[in-house]
Amino acid sequence: MTKLGAVFLAVMVALQVVSGLSERPDAYTTAIVVALAACATCFAAATAGPRRAVAALAGAVAVGYAAELIGVTTGFPFGAYHYTGLLQPQVAGVPVAVALAWGGMGLAAHAVAAAIAAPGWRRIAAGAVALTAWDLFLDPQMLRMGLWVWEHPGPYRDVPLTNFAGWLLVSALLMLLFERLLPAPGRALVTLYTAMAVMETVAFAAVFRPTDPLVAVTGGLAMGGLATAAWIRMRDPNRSPAWQK
């Protein structure tokens, strides 16, 4: 399963590159997210087995979709926003790709947290922060593509701070789910998280037009710092990853 996951990772990277150079990057978004989710599921299956991996992804997708549906309907917990019609298909105003993204990157963020934090509230908090760190890239990128709109723009590239509070809450729920289903997520998922951190940093720093150094630095330090901490923990011969404790 690891080899198949590597294939999906390569596909996702290739699609990201094409998307970054395209005049219509939104046309590639759903395909990128499908490759992301497939990659994460394969990597999780390599250590936990296909059944647990699929169950973890499905549960995360369900939680992510429910959070988004409540969000676009009530404004809780992210703040008032709505999706445009660019990202398809949609169910009740929520793009399917968004729910898949919660699952795919949620699995990767959990692996990072499992490498650096022991089981319990510390790991759940670390995973929530790791997943929310991705949104430092995601929201500015999707806003510039016109995929969703905030009714009350905020201070971080028009993203309100309530959005990040909502991400922390939903991400913590996902980490609780993953803790039950994936006690030993493995190194491959950390590779996925790291690849996403590198691609997003390079994209905002040098590929997107206009470039955005603020987002590149902010997101790069957040995701990159967490990924680096995970790799240091996993590569230290005197210390095992936290998930082996």
PDB file of all heavy atoms in Angstrom, residues 185-209:
ATOM      1  N   PRO A 185       0.236   5.639  13.087  1.00  0.00           N
ATOM      2  CA  PRO A 185       0.016   6.052  11.701  1.00  0.00           C
ATOM      3  C   PRO A 185       1.210   5.851  10.771  1.00  0.00           C
ATOM      4  O   PRO A 185       1.041   5.651   9.581  1.00  0.00           O
ATOM      5  CB  PRO A 185      -0.329   7.535  11.827  1.00  0.00           C
ATOM      6  CG  PRO A 185       0.241   7.953  13.129  1.00  0.00           C
ATOM      7  CD  PRO A 185       0.160   6.765  14.025  1.00  0.00           C
ATOM      8  N   GLY A 186       2.441   5.932  11.262  1.00  0.00           N
ATOM      9  CA  GLY A 186       3.595   5.648  10.429  1.00  0.00           C
ATOM     10  C   GLY A 186       4.230   6.857   9.751  1.00  0.00           C
ATOM     11  O   GLY A 186       3.658   7.937   9.682  1.00  0.00           O
ATOM     12  N   ARG A 187       5.447   6.639   9.211  1.00  0.00           N
ATOM     13  CA  ARG A 187       6.257   7.709   8.642  1.00  0.00           C
ATOM     14  C   ARG A 187       5.727   8.248   7.328  1.00  0.00           C
ATOM     15  O   ARG A 187       5.937   9.416   7.000  1.00  0.00           O
ATOM     16  CB  ARG A 187       7.683   7.202   8.425  1.00  0.00           C
ATOM     17  CG  ARG A 187       8.418   6.838   9.696  1.00  0.00           C
ATOM     18  CD  ARG A 187       9.724   6.133   9.371  1.00  0.00           C
ATOM     19  NE  ARG A 187      10.437   5.777  10.590  1.00  0.00           N
ATOM     20  CZ  ARG A 187      11.479   6.446  11.073  1.00  0.00           C
ATOM     21  NH1 ARG A 187      11.928   7.501  10.410  1.00  0.00           N
ATOM     22  NH2 ARG A 187      12.071   6.073  12.181  1.00  0.00           N
ATOM     23  N   ALA A 188       5.108   7.393   6.520  1.00  0.00           N
ATOM     24  CA  ALA A 188       4.705   7.821   5.181  1.00  0.00           C
ATOM     25  C   ALA A 188       3.752   9.011   5.232  1.00  0.00           C
ATOM     26  O   ALA A 188       3.827   9.917   4.388  1.00  0.00           O
ATOM     27  CB  ALA A 188       4.066   6.662   4.418  1.00  0.00           C
ATOM     28  N   LEU A 189       2.865   9.026   6.211  1.00  0.00           N
ATOM     29  CA  LEU A 189       1.934  10.142   6.328  1.00  0.00           C
ATOM     30  C   LEU A 189       2.647  11.435   6.715  1.00  0.00           C
ATOM     31  O   LEU A 189       2.221  12.524   6.337  1.00  0.00           O
ATOM     32  CB  LEU A 189       0.838   9.821   7.343  1.00  0.00           C
ATOM     33  CG  LEU A 189      -0.295   8.922   6.826  1.00  0.00           C
ATOM     34  CD1 LEU A 189      -1.127   8.391   7.982  1.00  0.00           C
ATOM     35  CD2 LEU A 189      -1.168   9.664   5.831  1.00  0.00           C
ATOM     36  N   VAL A 190       3.742  11.314   7.450  1.00  0.00           N
ATOM     37  CA  VAL A 190       4.540  12.502   7.753  1.00  0.00           C
ATOM     38  C   VAL A 190       5.177  13.035   6.471  1.00  0.00           C
ATOM     39  O   VAL A 190       5.309  14.245   6.278  1.00  0.00           O
ATOM     40  CB  VAL A 190       5.610  12.180   8.814  1.00  0.00           C
ATOM     41  CG1 VAL A 190       6.460  13.417   9.110  1.00  0.00           C
ATOM     42  CG2 VAL A 190       4.966  11.673  10.098  1.00  0.00           C
ATOM     43  N   THR A 191       5.558  12.122   5.578  1.00  0.00           N
ATOM     44  CA  THR A 191       6.090  12.527   4.274  1.00  0.00           C
ATOM     45  C   THR A 191       5.053  13.333   3.500  1.00  0.00           C
ATOM     46  O   THR A 191       5.377  14.355   2.872  1.00  0.00           O
ATOM     47  CB  THR A 191       6.506  11.300   3.457  1.00  0.00           C
ATOM     48  OG1 THR A 191       7.513  10.574   4.163  1.00  0.00           O
ATOM     49  CG2 THR A 191       7.042  11.702   2.088  1.00  0.00           C
ATOM     50  N   LEU A 192       3.806  12.889   3.523  1.00  0.00           N
ATOM     51  CA  LEU A 192       2.729  13.612   2.846  1.00  0.00           C
ATOM     52  C   LEU A 192       2.583  15.013   3.419  1.00  0.00           C
ATOM     53  O   LEU A 192       2.474  15.999   2.678  1.00  0.00           O
ATOM     54  CB  LEU A 192       1.419  12.835   2.983  1.00  0.00           C
ATOM     55  CG  LEU A 192       0.144  13.544   2.513  1.00  0.00           C
ATOM     56  CD1 LEU A 192       0.240  13.935   1.047  1.00  0.00           C
ATOM     57  CD2 LEU A 192      -1.076  12.645   2.751  1.00  0.00           C
ATOM     58  N   TYR A 193       2.583  15.129   4.733  1.00  0.00           N
ATOM     59  CA  TYR A 193       2.455  16.439   5.382  1.00  0.00           C
ATOM     60  C   TYR A 193       3.624  17.346   4.981  1.00  0.00           C
ATOM     61  O   TYR A 193       3.443  18.527   4.661  1.00  0.00           O
ATOM     62  CB  TYR A 193       2.418  16.258   6.898  1.00  0.00           C
ATOM     63  CG  TYR A 193       2.101  17.520   7.674  1.00  0.00           C
ATOM     64  CD1 TYR A 193       0.791  17.846   7.997  1.00  0.00           C
ATOM     65  CD2 TYR A 193       3.116  18.382   8.087  1.00  0.00           C
ATOM     66  CE1 TYR A 193       0.497  19.001   8.716  1.00  0.00           C
ATOM     67  CE2 TYR A 193       2.834  19.531   8.804  1.00  0.00           C
ATOM     68  CZ  TYR A 193       1.519  19.836   9.115  1.00  0.00           C
ATOM     69  OH  TYR A 193       1.237  20.986   9.828  1.00  0.00           O
ATOM     70  N   THR A 194       4.816  16.773   4.982  1.00  0.00           N
ATOM     71  CA  THR A 194       6.007  17.536   4.630  1.00  0.00           C
ATOM     72  C   THR A 194       5.955  18.009   3.183  1.00  0.00           C
ATOM     73  O   THR A 194       6.299  19.161   2.873  1.00  0.00           O
ATOM     74  CB  THR A 194       7.261  16.686   4.855  1.00  0.00           C
ATOM     75  OG1 THR A 194       7.283  16.199   6.210  1.00  0.00           O
ATOM     76  CG2 THR A 194       8.524  17.489   4.583  1.00  0.00           C
ATOM     77  N   ALA A 195       5.532  17.122   2.288  1.00  0.00           N
ATOM     78  CA  ALA A 195       5.429  17.487   0.874  1.00  0.00           C
ATOM     79  C   ALA A 195       4.462  18.639   0.679  1.00  0.00           C
ATOM     80  O   ALA A 195       4.722  19.575  -0.101  1.00  0.00           O
ATOM     81  CB  ALA A 195       4.990  16.275   0.055  1.00  0.00           C
ATOM     82  N   MET A 196       3.336  18.605   1.387  1.00  0.00           N
ATOM     83  CA  MET A 196       2.363  19.685   1.273  1.00  0.00           C
ATOM     84  C   MET A 196       2.954  20.992   1.793  1.00  0.00           C
ATOM     85  O   MET A 196       2.768  22.060   1.178  1.00  0.00           O
ATOM     86  CB  MET A 196       1.092  19.343   2.044  1.00  0.00           C
ATOM     87  CG  MET A 196      -0.020  20.356   1.887  1.00  0.00           C
ATOM     88  SD  MET A 196      -0.659  20.462   0.187  1.00  0.00           S
ATOM     89  CE  MET A 196      -1.666  18.966   0.119  1.00  0.00           C
ATOM     90  N   ALA A 197       3.676  20.935   2.894  1.00  0.00           N
ATOM     91  CA  ALA A 197       4.297  22.135   3.451  1.00  0.00           C
ATOM     92  C   ALA A 197       5.283  22.751   2.463  1.00  0.00           C
ATOM     93  O   ALA A 197       5.300  23.976   2.262  1.00  0.00           O
ATOM     94  CB  ALA A 197       5.006  21.799   4.760  1.00  0.00           C
ATOM     95  N   VAL A 198       6.099  21.917   1.842  1.00  0.00           N
ATOM     96  CA  VAL A 198       7.096  22.412   0.891  1.00  0.00           C
ATOM     97  C   VAL A 198       6.418  23.000  -0.344  1.00  0.00           C
ATOM     98  O   VAL A 198       6.763  24.109  -0.804  1.00  0.00           O
ATOM     99  CB  VAL A 198       8.063  21.287   0.486  1.00  0.00           C
ATOM    100  CG1 VAL A 198       8.967  21.738  -0.659  1.00  0.00           C
ATOM    101  CG2 VAL A 198       8.902  20.850   1.684  1.00  0.00           C
ATOM    102  N   MET A 199       5.443  22.284  -0.897  1.00  0.00           N
ATOM    103  CA  MET A 199       4.777  22.752  -2.115  1.00  0.00           C
ATOM    104  C   MET A 199       4.072  24.083  -1.899  1.00  0.00           C
ATOM    105  O   MET A 199       4.176  24.993  -2.723  1.00  0.00           O
ATOM    106  CB  MET A 199       3.772  21.702  -2.599  1.00  0.00           C
ATOM    107  CG  MET A 199       4.387  20.490  -3.244  1.00  0.00           C
ATOM    108  SD  MET A 199       3.162  19.437  -4.045  1.00  0.00           S
ATOM    109  CE  MET A 199       2.130  18.993  -2.648  1.00  0.00           C
ATOM    110  N   GLU A 200       3.360  24.208  -0.784  1.00  0.00           N
ATOM    111  CA  GLU A 200       2.629  25.442  -0.529  1.00  0.00           C
ATOM    112  C   GLU A 200       3.584  26.616  -0.293  1.00  0.00           C
ATOM    113  O   GLU A 200       3.337  27.735  -0.768  1.00  0.00           O
ATOM    114  CB  GLU A 200       1.705  25.265   0.684  1.00  0.00           C
ATOM    115  CG  GLU A 200       0.577  24.259   0.480  1.00  0.00           C
ATOM    116  CD  GLU A 200      -0.565  24.838  -0.326  1.00  0.00           C
ATOM    117  OE1 GLU A 200      -0.414  25.901  -0.959  1.00  0.00           O
ATOM    118  OE2 GLU A 200      -1.644  24.215  -0.319  1.00  0.00           O
ATOM    119  N   THR A 201       4.669  26.362   0.416  1.00  0.00           N
ATOM    120  CA  THR A 201       5.631  27.426   0.668  1.00  0.00           C
ATOM    121  C   THR A 201       6.247  27.931  -0.632  1.00  0.00           C
ATOM    122  O   THR A 201       6.321  29.151  -0.878  1.00  0.00           O
ATOM    123  CB  THR A 201       6.743  26.934   1.611  1.00  0.00           C
ATOM    124  OG1 THR A 201       6.168  26.492   2.849  1.00  0.00           O
ATOM    125  CG2 THR A 201       7.742  28.049   1.892  1.00  0.00           C
ATOM    126  N   VAL A 202       6.687  27.002  -1.474  1.00  0.00           N
ATOM    127  CA  VAL A 202       7.287  27.376  -2.756  1.00  0.00           C
ATOM    128  C   VAL A 202       6.272  28.091  -3.638  1.00  0.00           C
ATOM    129  O   VAL A 202       6.591  29.079  -4.319  1.00  0.00           O
ATOM    130  CB  VAL A 202       7.845  26.134  -3.473  1.00  0.00           C
ATOM    131  CG1 VAL A 202       8.287  26.469  -4.893  1.00  0.00           C
ATOM    132  CG2 VAL A 202       9.012  25.547  -2.687  1.00  0.00           C
ATOM    133  N   ALA A 203       5.029  27.598  -3.628  1.00  0.00           N
ATOM    134  CA  ALA A 203       3.993  28.196  -4.474  1.00  0.00           C
ATOM    135  C   ALA A 203       3.760  29.660  -4.120  1.00  0.00           C
ATOM    136  O   ALA A 203       3.735  30.534  -4.996  1.00  0.00           O
ATOM    137  CB  ALA A 203       2.704  27.401  -4.351  1.00  0.00           C
ATOM    138  N   PHE A 204       3.590  29.943  -2.833  1.00  0.00           N
ATOM    139  CA  PHE A 204       3.324  31.327  -2.434  1.00  0.00           C
ATOM    140  C   PHE A 204       4.561  32.203  -2.549  1.00  0.00           C
ATOM    141  O   PHE A 204       4.459  33.412  -2.772  1.00  0.00           O
ATOM    142  CB  PHE A 204       2.781  31.374  -1.004  1.00  0.00           C
ATOM    143  CG  PHE A 204       1.300  31.166  -0.910  1.00  0.00           C
ATOM    144  CD1 PHE A 204       0.773  29.925  -0.579  1.00  0.00           C
ATOM    145  CD2 PHE A 204       0.422  32.203  -1.176  1.00  0.00           C
ATOM    146  CE1 PHE A 204      -0.596  29.727  -0.502  1.00  0.00           C
ATOM    147  CE2 PHE A 204      -0.954  32.020  -1.097  1.00  0.00           C
ATOM    148  CZ  PHE A 204      -1.460  30.774  -0.765  1.00  0.00           C
ATOM    149  N   ALA A 205       5.736  31.605  -2.413  1.00  0.00           N
ATOM    150  CA  ALA A 205       6.964  32.388  -2.462  1.00  0.00           C
ATOM    151  C   ALA A 205       7.409  32.694  -3.888  1.00  0.00           C
ATOM    152  O   ALA A 205       7.994  33.756  -4.140  1.00  0.00           O
ATOM    153  CB  ALA A 205       8.080  31.650  -1.729  1.00  0.00           C
ATOM    154  N   ALA A 206       7.132  31.761  -4.839  1.00  0.00           N
ATOM    155  CA  ALA A 206       7.747  31.933  -6.157  1.00  0.00           C
ATOM    156  C   ALA A 206       6.865  31.607  -7.354  1.00  0.00           C
ATOM    157  O   ALA A 206       7.189  32.022  -8.473  1.00  0.00           O
ATOM    158  CB  ALA A 206       9.007  31.066  -6.236  1.00  0.00           C
ATOM    159  N   VAL A 207       5.756  30.880  -7.160  1.00  0.00           N
ATOM    160  CA  VAL A 207       4.978  30.404  -8.311  1.00  0.00           C
ATOM    161  C   VAL A 207       3.736  31.240  -8.555  1.00  0.00           C
ATOM    162  O   VAL A 207       3.475  31.685  -9.682  1.00  0.00           O
ATOM    163  CB  VAL A 207       4.600  28.921  -8.145  1.00  0.00           C
ATOM    164  CG1 VAL A 207       3.743  28.456  -9.325  1.00  0.00           C
ATOM    165  CG2 VAL A 207       5.855  28.056  -8.018  1.00  0.00           C
ATOM    166  N   PHE A 208       2.934  31.442  -7.519  1.00  0.00           N
ATOM    167  CA  PHE A 208       1.688  32.179  -7.687  1.00  0.00           C
ATOM    168  C   PHE A 208       1.968  33.616  -8.124  1.00  0.00           C
ATOM    169  O   PHE A 208       2.986  34.198  -7.767  1.00  0.00           O
ATOM    170  CB  PHE A 208       0.880  32.201  -6.395  1.00  0.00           C
ATOM    171  CG  PHE A 208       0.355  30.858  -5.968  1.00  0.00           C
ATOM    172  CD1 PHE A 208       0.082  30.609  -4.633  1.00  0.00           C
ATOM    173  CD2 PHE A 208       0.124  29.851  -6.892  1.00  0.00           C
ATOM    174  CE1 PHE A 208      -0.409  29.374  -4.218  1.00  0.00           C
ATOM    175  CE2 PHE A 208      -0.364  28.612  -6.499  1.00  0.00           C
ATOM    176  CZ  PHE A 208      -0.623  28.381  -5.153  1.00  0.00           C
ATOM    177  N   ARG A 209       1.039  34.150  -8.905  1.00  0.00           N
ATOM    178  CA  ARG A 209       1.131  35.541  -9.344  1.00  0.00           C
ATOM    179  C   ARG A 209      -0.106  36.294  -8.905  1.00  0.00           C
ATOM    180  O   ARG A 209      -1.209  35.985  -9.349  1.00  0.00           O
ATOM    181  CB  ARG A 209       1.286  35.611 -10.873  1.00  0.00           C
ATOM    182  CG  ARG A 209       2.638  35.077 -11.345  1.00  0.00           C
ATOM    183  CD  ARG A 209       3.772  36.019 -10.899  1.00  0.00           C
ATOM    184  NE  ARG A 209       5.098  35.542 -11.307  1.00  0.00           N
ATOM    185  CZ  ARG A 209       5.908  34.828 -10.558  1.00  0.00           C
ATOM    186  NH1 ARG A 209       5.525  34.480  -9.338  1.00  0.00           N
ATOM    187  NH2 ARG A 209       7.084  34.458 -11.006  1.00  0.00           N
TER     188      ARG A 209
END
